[in-house]
Amino acid sequence: YGGLKQIDPVGPSGEAILDYSLYDARRAGFETVVFIIKHEIEEPFKAAVGARAVKAGFEVRYAYQQLDCLPEGFAVPEGRVKPWGTAHALRAARHVVKEPFAVVNADDFYGADAFVQAAKFLTSTTDEPGKAHYGMIGYPLKNTLSDNGDVNRGICSIKGGLLDGVEEFVKIQADEDGVVRGNNLKGERLPVDPAELVSMNFWLFSPSFIELTEDHFIDFLKEHGQEPKSECFIPTVVDALIHADRADCAVLPTSSSWFGMTYPGDKPMVVEGINKLIQQGVYPEKLN
């Protein structure tokens, strides 16, 4: 992106995308926020978003995703600089997350209704012995593409309102012939249906998910730990748990709009989208 997009202002009073997520989460009933960040951005992040979260009334906790934070017996391979992926990021919060929780990306705008649906699910769902019950907010793929480059998405198959599987695709975009395609994890470039629901990493979990992720991440490191750019994704962990019959995952429809900032060229669209919502009375000119 070429800058710290987690704190890049997009609102009329200097708000970042994450400030709108916090505003929506607080209105929906969330009381605690855990920011998973790198030590390198700690000071500017705490001074900007962190301070505003405290002002908004959240209990604020921090977790740090560092490359060398690995299970015992594993080490960072020589030349590796890329983080280990979203599942590793969530693992970094294992000591500070003890309650049912939602997961969102800092640079994605999810919308107020998505947080309302999340809060309803988390306050009414409990795990059973031997089987966890998770949730996911889904968005149509066509609403999540960028005009400014390719994107990575977890494409979902759904049966009876439950997630049947998530397949991670990278480099998704409309090719020169107008067909939307993406590369699966085997590297095959395949057409993808723009109407299919995708995971935008808005997940709803009980604390059991972090424990179950540890086993999966260890297996990932055994198989891919020496690769310089391999990543362990949350959707892949969820998919594995579903197919092992250790969890199910409800797919929750939302009336919210989604937009995100993958590329600098996406920013004007995000600013315009937020301004429209302010004009509609969804958000005030100044959040807090």
Short mmCIF file of all heavy atoms in Angstrom, two decimals, residues 160-196:
data_model
loop_
_atom_site.label_atom_id
_atom_site.label_comp_id
_atom_site.label_asym_id
_atom_site.label_seq_id
_atom_site.Cartn_x
_atom_site.Cartn_y
_atom_site.Cartn_z
N GLY A 160 -27.37 -25.45 3.71
CA GLY A 160 -28.28 -25.30 4.83
C GLY A 160 -27.91 -24.18 5.78
O GLY A 160 -28.11 -24.29 6.99
N GLY A 161 -27.37 -23.09 5.23
CA GLY A 161 -26.99 -21.95 6.06
C GLY A 161 -25.66 -22.10 6.77
O GLY A 161 -25.20 -21.19 7.45
N LEU A 162 -25.03 -23.27 6.60
CA LEU A 162 -23.73 -23.50 7.23
C LEU A 162 -22.63 -23.55 6.17
O LEU A 162 -22.85 -23.99 5.03
CB LEU A 162 -23.74 -24.83 8.00
CG LEU A 162 -24.64 -24.93 9.22
CD1 LEU A 162 -24.63 -26.34 9.77
CD2 LEU A 162 -24.23 -23.93 10.30
N LEU A 163 -21.47 -23.10 6.56
CA LEU A 163 -20.32 -23.13 5.68
C LEU A 163 -19.93 -24.58 5.43
O LEU A 163 -19.73 -25.35 6.37
CB LEU A 163 -19.17 -22.38 6.37
CG LEU A 163 -17.99 -21.95 5.52
CD1 LEU A 163 -18.42 -21.02 4.40
CD2 LEU A 163 -16.95 -21.27 6.41
N ASP A 164 -19.82 -24.96 4.16
CA ASP A 164 -19.41 -26.32 3.81
C ASP A 164 -17.92 -26.37 3.51
O ASP A 164 -17.30 -27.42 3.58
CB ASP A 164 -20.22 -26.80 2.60
CG ASP A 164 -19.98 -28.27 2.30
OD1 ASP A 164 -20.08 -29.08 3.24
OD2 ASP A 164 -19.68 -28.60 1.14
N GLY A 165 -17.35 -25.22 3.18
CA GLY A 165 -15.92 -25.17 2.90
C GLY A 165 -15.50 -23.79 2.47
O GLY A 165 -16.33 -22.97 2.05
N VAL A 166 -14.22 -23.50 2.60
CA VAL A 166 -13.65 -22.23 2.15
C VAL A 166 -12.41 -22.57 1.32
O VAL A 166 -11.54 -23.30 1.78
CB VAL A 166 -13.22 -21.34 3.33
CG1 VAL A 166 -12.68 -20.01 2.81
CG2 VAL A 166 -14.37 -21.10 4.29
N GLU A 167 -12.38 -22.05 0.11
CA GLU A 167 -11.19 -22.25 -0.72
C GLU A 167 -10.53 -20.90 -0.94
O GLU A 167 -11.15 -19.97 -1.44
CB GLU A 167 -11.56 -22.89 -2.06
CG GLU A 167 -10.32 -23.28 -2.85
CD GLU A 167 -10.62 -24.06 -4.13
OE1 GLU A 167 -11.81 -24.21 -4.46
OE2 GLU A 167 -9.66 -24.48 -4.79
N GLU A 168 -9.27 -20.83 -0.56
CA GLU A 168 -8.54 -19.57 -0.67
C GLU A 168 -8.06 -19.38 -2.11
O GLU A 168 -7.44 -20.27 -2.70
CB GLU A 168 -7.34 -19.59 0.29
CG GLU A 168 -6.74 -18.23 0.54
CD GLU A 168 -7.62 -17.35 1.43
OE1 GLU A 168 -8.42 -17.86 2.22
OE2 GLU A 168 -7.47 -16.12 1.31
N PHE A 169 -8.41 -18.23 -2.67
CA PHE A 169 -7.92 -17.85 -4.00
C PHE A 169 -7.11 -16.57 -3.88
O PHE A 169 -7.48 -15.67 -3.11
CB PHE A 169 -9.08 -17.62 -4.98
CG PHE A 169 -9.66 -18.88 -5.56
CD1 PHE A 169 -10.56 -19.64 -4.83
CD2 PHE A 169 -9.30 -19.30 -6.83
CE1 PHE A 169 -11.10 -20.80 -5.36
CE2 PHE A 169 -9.84 -20.46 -7.37
CZ PHE A 169 -10.74 -21.22 -6.63
N VAL A 170 -6.04 -16.46 -4.65
CA VAL A 170 -5.22 -15.25 -4.67
C VAL A 170 -5.22 -14.68 -6.08
O VAL A 170 -5.60 -15.36 -7.04
CB VAL A 170 -3.77 -15.53 -4.19
CG1 VAL A 170 -3.77 -16.06 -2.76
CG2 VAL A 170 -3.06 -16.53 -5.10
N LYS A 171 -4.83 -13.42 -6.19
CA LYS A 171 -4.72 -12.73 -7.49
C LYS A 171 -6.04 -12.76 -8.26
O LYS A 171 -6.09 -12.99 -9.47
CB LYS A 171 -3.58 -13.32 -8.34
CG LYS A 171 -2.20 -13.19 -7.68
CD LYS A 171 -1.09 -13.61 -8.60
CE LYS A 171 0.27 -13.55 -7.93
NZ LYS A 171 0.62 -12.21 -7.40
N ILE A 172 -7.16 -12.52 -7.54
CA ILE A 172 -8.47 -12.49 -8.20
C ILE A 172 -8.67 -11.12 -8.86
O ILE A 172 -8.52 -10.08 -8.22
CB ILE A 172 -9.62 -12.72 -7.19
CG1 ILE A 172 -9.46 -14.07 -6.48
CG2 ILE A 172 -10.98 -12.65 -7.89
CD1 ILE A 172 -10.47 -14.27 -5.36
N GLN A 173 -9.03 -11.15 -10.14
CA GLN A 173 -9.40 -9.93 -10.84
C GLN A 173 -10.04 -10.31 -12.18
O GLN A 173 -9.96 -11.46 -12.60
CB GLN A 173 -8.18 -9.03 -11.08
CG GLN A 173 -7.10 -9.62 -11.95
CD GLN A 173 -5.91 -8.69 -12.13
OE1 GLN A 173 -5.85 -7.61 -11.55
NE2 GLN A 173 -4.95 -9.10 -12.93
N ALA A 174 -10.69 -9.34 -12.81
CA ALA A 174 -11.24 -9.57 -14.15
C ALA A 174 -10.07 -9.55 -15.14
O ALA A 174 -9.33 -8.57 -15.22
CB ALA A 174 -12.26 -8.49 -14.49
N ASP A 175 -9.90 -10.64 -15.88
CA ASP A 175 -8.84 -10.71 -16.89
C ASP A 175 -9.25 -9.90 -18.13
O ASP A 175 -10.34 -9.34 -18.19
CB ASP A 175 -8.57 -12.17 -17.27
CG ASP A 175 -7.82 -12.91 -16.15
OD1 ASP A 175 -7.19 -12.24 -15.31
OD2 ASP A 175 -7.88 -14.16 -16.12
N GLU A 176 -8.36 -9.85 -19.11
CA GLU A 176 -8.60 -9.01 -20.30
C GLU A 176 -9.88 -9.41 -21.04
O GLU A 176 -10.51 -8.58 -21.70
CB GLU A 176 -7.39 -9.10 -21.24
CG GLU A 176 -6.19 -8.31 -20.72
CD GLU A 176 -5.02 -8.35 -21.68
OE1 GLU A 176 -5.20 -8.83 -22.83
OE2 GLU A 176 -3.93 -7.90 -21.30
N ASP A 177 -10.28 -10.69 -20.92
CA ASP A 177 -11.50 -11.13 -21.60
C ASP A 177 -12.76 -10.85 -20.78
O ASP A 177 -13.87 -11.23 -21.17
CB ASP A 177 -11.42 -12.63 -21.93
CG ASP A 177 -11.22 -13.49 -20.68
OD1 ASP A 177 -11.21 -12.94 -19.56
OD2 ASP A 177 -11.07 -14.72 -20.84
N GLY A 178 -12.59 -10.18 -19.62
CA GLY A 178 -13.73 -9.81 -18.79
C GLY A 178 -14.13 -10.87 -17.78
O GLY A 178 -14.97 -10.62 -16.91
N VAL A 179 -13.55 -12.07 -17.87
CA VAL A 179 -13.88 -13.15 -16.94
C VAL A 179 -13.07 -12.97 -15.65
O VAL A 179 -11.87 -12.71 -15.68
CB VAL A 179 -13.57 -14.53 -17.57
CG1 VAL A 179 -13.81 -15.65 -16.56
CG2 VAL A 179 -14.40 -14.74 -18.81
N VAL A 180 -13.77 -13.09 -14.51
CA VAL A 180 -13.10 -12.98 -13.21
C VAL A 180 -12.44 -14.33 -12.89
O VAL A 180 -13.10 -15.37 -12.90
CB VAL A 180 -14.09 -12.59 -12.10
CG1 VAL A 180 -13.38 -12.55 -10.75
CG2 VAL A 180 -14.74 -11.25 -12.41
N ARG A 181 -11.14 -14.29 -12.64
CA ARG A 181 -10.40 -15.51 -12.32
C ARG A 181 -9.50 -15.28 -11.11
O ARG A 181 -9.19 -14.14 -10.76
CB ARG A 181 -9.52 -15.94 -13.50
CG ARG A 181 -10.28 -16.37 -14.74
CD ARG A 181 -9.33 -16.89 -15.82
NE ARG A 181 -10.05 -17.31 -17.03
CZ ARG A 181 -10.37 -16.51 -18.03
NH1 ARG A 181 -10.05 -15.22 -17.97
NH2 ARG A 181 -11.01 -16.99 -19.07
N GLY A 182 -9.10 -16.39 -10.49
CA GLY A 182 -8.16 -16.33 -9.38
C GLY A 182 -7.31 -17.59 -9.37
O GLY A 182 -7.65 -18.60 -10.00
N ASN A 183 -6.19 -17.53 -8.65
CA ASN A 183 -5.31 -18.69 -8.51
C ASN A 183 -5.63 -19.42 -7.21
O ASN A 183 -5.65 -18.79 -6.15
CB ASN A 183 -3.83 -18.26 -8.47
CG ASN A 183 -3.39 -17.62 -9.77
OD1 ASN A 183 -4.15 -17.53 -10.72
ND2 ASN A 183 -2.15 -17.16 -9.79
N ASN A 184 -5.89 -20.73 -7.30
CA ASN A 184 -6.05 -21.49 -6.07
C ASN A 184 -4.68 -21.76 -5.45
O ASN A 184 -3.65 -21.36 -6.00
CB ASN A 184 -6.86 -22.78 -6.31
CG ASN A 184 -6.15 -23.76 -7.24
OD1 ASN A 184 -4.96 -23.64 -7.52
ND2 ASN A 184 -6.90 -24.74 -7.74
N LEU A 185 -4.67 -22.44 -4.30
CA LEU A 185 -3.40 -22.61 -3.58
C LEU A 185 -2.46 -23.58 -4.30
O LEU A 185 -1.29 -23.68 -3.95
CB LEU A 185 -3.66 -23.06 -2.14
CG LEU A 185 -4.35 -22.00 -1.25
CD1 LEU A 185 -4.48 -22.49 0.18
CD2 LEU A 185 -3.61 -20.66 -1.29
N LYS A 186 -2.97 -24.29 -5.34
CA LYS A 186 -2.09 -25.14 -6.16
C LYS A 186 -1.46 -24.33 -7.29
O LYS A 186 -0.65 -24.85 -8.06
CB LYS A 186 -2.91 -26.29 -6.77
CG LYS A 186 -3.45 -27.28 -5.76
CD LYS A 186 -4.29 -28.33 -6.47
CE LYS A 186 -4.93 -29.28 -5.47
NZ LYS A 186 -5.87 -30.22 -6.13
N GLY A 187 -1.89 -23.06 -7.43
CA GLY A 187 -1.34 -22.22 -8.48
C GLY A 187 -2.12 -22.26 -9.78
O GLY A 187 -1.71 -21.66 -10.78
N GLU A 188 -3.25 -22.99 -9.80
CA GLU A 188 -4.07 -23.07 -11.01
C GLU A 188 -4.93 -21.81 -11.11
O GLU A 188 -5.54 -21.39 -10.14
CB GLU A 188 -4.98 -24.31 -10.94
CG GLU A 188 -4.25 -25.62 -10.82
CD GLU A 188 -5.14 -26.77 -10.38
OE1 GLU A 188 -6.09 -26.54 -9.58
OE2 GLU A 188 -4.89 -27.90 -10.82
N ARG A 189 -4.97 -21.21 -12.30
CA ARG A 189 -5.80 -20.02 -12.52
C ARG A 189 -7.16 -20.45 -13.07
O ARG A 189 -7.25 -21.02 -14.16
CB ARG A 189 -5.12 -19.03 -13.47
CG ARG A 189 -5.87 -17.69 -13.55
CD ARG A 189 -4.96 -16.52 -13.85
NE ARG A 189 -5.67 -15.25 -13.77
CZ ARG A 189 -5.92 -14.58 -12.66
NH1 ARG A 189 -5.51 -15.05 -11.50
NH2 ARG A 189 -6.56 -13.43 -12.67
N LEU A 190 -8.22 -20.18 -12.29
CA LEU A 190 -9.55 -20.71 -12.60
C LEU A 190 -10.59 -19.60 -12.58
O LEU A 190 -10.46 -18.63 -11.83
CB LEU A 190 -9.95 -21.77 -11.56
CG LEU A 190 -9.01 -22.97 -11.40
CD1 LEU A 190 -9.41 -23.78 -10.17
CD2 LEU A 190 -9.02 -23.83 -12.65
N PRO A 191 -11.68 -19.74 -13.38
CA PRO A 191 -12.79 -18.78 -13.29
C PRO A 191 -13.46 -18.88 -11.92
O PRO A 191 -13.58 -19.98 -11.36
CB PRO A 191 -13.74 -19.22 -14.40
CG PRO A 191 -12.95 -20.13 -15.28
CD PRO A 191 -11.91 -20.75 -14.41
N VAL A 192 -13.91 -17.75 -11.37
CA VAL A 192 -14.66 -17.74 -10.12
C VAL A 192 -15.95 -16.96 -10.33
O VAL A 192 -15.99 -15.99 -11.08
CB VAL A 192 -13.83 -17.13 -8.96
CG1 VAL A 192 -12.72 -18.08 -8.54
CG2 VAL A 192 -13.23 -15.79 -9.33
N ASP A 193 -17.03 -17.40 -9.67
CA ASP A 193 -18.35 -16.80 -9.84
C ASP A 193 -18.44 -15.51 -9.02
O ASP A 193 -18.32 -15.55 -7.79
CB ASP A 193 -19.42 -17.80 -9.38
CG ASP A 193 -20.84 -17.27 -9.57
OD1 ASP A 193 -21.00 -16.08 -9.92
OD2 ASP A 193 -21.78 -18.05 -9.35
N PRO A 194 -18.66 -14.36 -9.68
CA PRO A 194 -18.71 -13.09 -8.94
C PRO A 194 -19.83 -13.02 -7.90
O PRO A 194 -19.79 -12.19 -7.00
CB PRO A 194 -18.92 -12.04 -10.04
CG PRO A 194 -18.48 -12.70 -11.30
CD PRO A 194 -18.79 -14.15 -11.13
N ALA A 195 -20.85 -13.89 -8.02
CA ALA A 195 -21.97 -13.85 -7.09
C ALA A 195 -21.72 -14.68 -5.83
O ALA A 195 -22.47 -14.58 -4.85
CB ALA A 195 -23.24 -14.35 -7.77
N GLU A 196 -20.66 -15.48 -5.83
CA GLU A 196 -20.40 -16.34 -4.67
C GLU A 196 -20.02 -15.52 -3.46
O GLU A 196 -19.40 -14.45 -3.56
CB GLU A 196 -19.29 -17.34 -5.00
CG GLU A 196 -19.72 -18.40 -5.99
CD GLU A 196 -18.93 -19.69 -5.82
OE1 GLU A 196 -19.27 -20.47 -4.93
OE2 GLU A 196 -17.98 -19.87 -6.60
#
